[in-house]
Amino acid sequence: MNEEYSLTNLPDLKSLKAKNYDQVPEKERPQIKTIGILTSGGDAPGMNASIRAVVRAAGHFGIKVFGITRGFHGLWKGEFDEIGTRQVSETLQRGGTFLMTARSKTFETPEGVVKGAQMCKVFGVEVLIVIGGDGSYCGARDLARIGIPVIGLPGTIDNDIACTEYTIGYDTAMNTAMEAIDKLRDTASSHERCSVIEVMGRRAGYIALNVGIATGAEVVLIPELPVDFERDVIRTILACRNMGKRHYIVIVAEGVGDATDIATRIEEATGIEARPTILGHLQRGGSPTLRDRLMASLMGIRAVECVRQGKLNRLVVYRNGEISDVDIEKGLQMKKTIKAEEMDRSKYLL
Ligand code: F6P
């Protein structure tokens, strides 16, 4: 941590920028001997595979790893414990995160960030690897701004981190949702009902859109695109009934609104019985799919490669079919959204 900051001299985090190591000649970059790793925000299947990859790859290069429990909460409380390469055995296939996670309010304050940085100094952690989503990345960036180098790994089922096309946990969550919706379709068809299913995604509709295509949903509602309820929902369902369909699957991304209200509106307007189901946290659990294990492992290795090269304050990303890394300040300024054309294409399948 930069010496000038302390609990009595707090940083103005907004006015600072994380050091961009692209501008540091390779020979002058630090040689890192000790790193810390934590998982933060909502857990995601594959987080364990990432921790394992970081621990094993770091061990390969003689870098010591401290596991930090309960995310940033454990960071500022000093919950650091060294992890050896054998201690990550049997974690690859396990859902959740064995380091546990939390959403730390304290870490949203300069005091929390300074306390976290001080704990890194206490344990000799020179670089912190943070596995999490956008919110966790903001915490990592704040640490970087006061001189604790960081590397971010994208871990969230929502796939809503702008600088990367893929986030760890996304594939497993979509598969879990798909399997549940296939089951709901069986019962909806038997009763000629409408099944309104709310999927996770916070303010993003990536899970909803792709699961909708994969399950042959009649309607998908996502927060990125406006909806004309009469035309896009009611008329579509009635048109599907008139063409002889026996079930009506409506997928609602949680950022759109309440599935129960939507089911009531559909039933009132169409006379077709509608039943809401909120898949909820079910989507966050379970053994990671092959894709998540692979991406989590390769991204973990990339994080250690960045550490080895002294390429710090980076976010590991998947772009254009390759795993690479971007500067944390630049990565957090990027934006991504779902385009209307992507949504329109799914309507060809009705
Ligand atoms: O970011 C992952 C996520 O599962 C979102 O899809 C969801 O909105 C949120 O976390 C739920 O958070 P919590 O587990 O804190 O209720």
Side-chain angles (χ1 to χ4, degrees), residues 35 37-39 44-58 65 83 88 91-94 96-99 129-132 152-156 166-169 288 291-304 316 323:
I35 62 177
I37 184 164
L38 60 80
T39 48
M47 280 182 163
N48 286 329
S50 275
I51 302 165
R52 171 181 176 271
V54 167
V55 171
R56 294 255 164 108
V65 184
I83 324 182
V88 288
T91 56
L92 177 66
Q93 74 283 12
R94 278 170 49 199
T97 159
F98 75 86
L99 285 178
I129 297 186
V130 172
I131 311 175
L153 283 175
T156 166
Y166 192 80
T167 60
I168 296 158
R291 182 157 167 77
D292 274 327
R293 294 182 198 194
L294 191 60
M295 293 297 273
S297 301
L298 296 177
M299 284 179 161
I301 293 170
R302 180 70 176 208
V304 174
V316 175
I323 290 173

Side-chain angles (χ1 to χ4, degrees), residues 42-43 103 156-158 200-202 207 254 281 284:
D43 62 321
R103 300 192 191 276
T156 166
I157 63 165
D158 301 338
M200 275 191 168
R202 199 176 288 276
I207 296 178
E254 64 174 331
H281 288 83
R284 288 236 297 258

